[in-house]
Amino acid sequence: MRGARRLDLAVLRLLRTRGHGARTERAVLVFTRAGEHGLLWQVLCLVGAVADPRRRPLYLRAMRTVMLAYLANIGLKYVVRRRRPQLEGLTPLSSTVTSLSFPSAHATTSFAAAWALTAGGDGLPRVPVYAVAKAMAVSRVYAGVHYPTDIAAGAAFGTALAALLDTE
């Protein structure tokens, strides 16, 4: 367990200290803030439902999945109660809704959305959707508000929830 914790901190420190120019930080912060409460995915689903009537059921199902994943994540955070990372000399780049970090809601909603949006024969292309989900998840470690294990757990939790909710 100690080795895993050390690795978690090492990866967190690496992502908090590399590639942090002012422009990059601004871009990542705009992106990561768009993921609050699954908002990026909700907007994408809403726009998709309006713009692509043929796939409207897919978008509406994905929207429901994201909402349920977000709520389940919040419940799990209050059960686990893991505190957010604090690295000496490296303050987080972003504020957070709570001081609880496990699992990451950004990762949970992003991977739930990715599963729901790419499921079935009518789904969106997997590669770009999952690329956005992964970028959203990693942005939280970059911003210093999550440990990598929070991200991994959120991705697994979101994927499992979406698979469970998949009614196709």
Side-chain angles (χ1 to χ4, degrees), residues 68-89:
L68 293 172
Y70 178 72
L71 293 173
N73 178 275
I74 295 304
L76 186 55
K77 272 187 195 292
Y78 281 97
V79 170
V80 175
R81 305 193 68 76
R82 182 183 195 184
R83 294 283 175 213
R84 292 196 184 271
Q86 294 182 341
L87 294 174
E88 190 175 321

Side-chain angles (χ1 to χ4, degrees), residues 56-163:
R56 184 170 289 137
L58 171 81
Y59 288 111
L60 295 177
R61 205 169 41 254
M63 185 179 272
R64 181 197 66 170
T65 298
V66 170
M67 284 189 271
L68 293 172
Y70 178 72
L71 293 173
N73 178 275
I74 295 304
L76 186 55
K77 272 187 195 292
Y78 281 97
V79 170
V80 175
R81 305 193 68 76
R82 182 183 195 184
R83 294 283 175 213
R84 292 196 184 271
Q86 294 182 341
L87 294 174
E88 190 175 321
L90 290 170
T91 58
L93 300 178
S94 179
S95 60
T96 58
V97 176
T98 74
S99 62
L100 304 175
S101 74
F102 186 93
S104 162
H106 281 65
T108 299
T109 57
S110 293
F111 279 81
W115 174 280
L117 288 168
T118 62
D122 202 25
L124 301 179
R126 291 178 60 82
V127 172
V129 174
Y130 273 94
V132 173
K134 290 173 187 176
M136 182 61 72
V138 171
S139 76
R140 304 305 284 166
V141 181
Y142 179 93
V145 295
H146 280 291
Y147 293 101
T149 50
D150 298 339
I151 301 307
F157 188 49
T159 299
L161 283 171

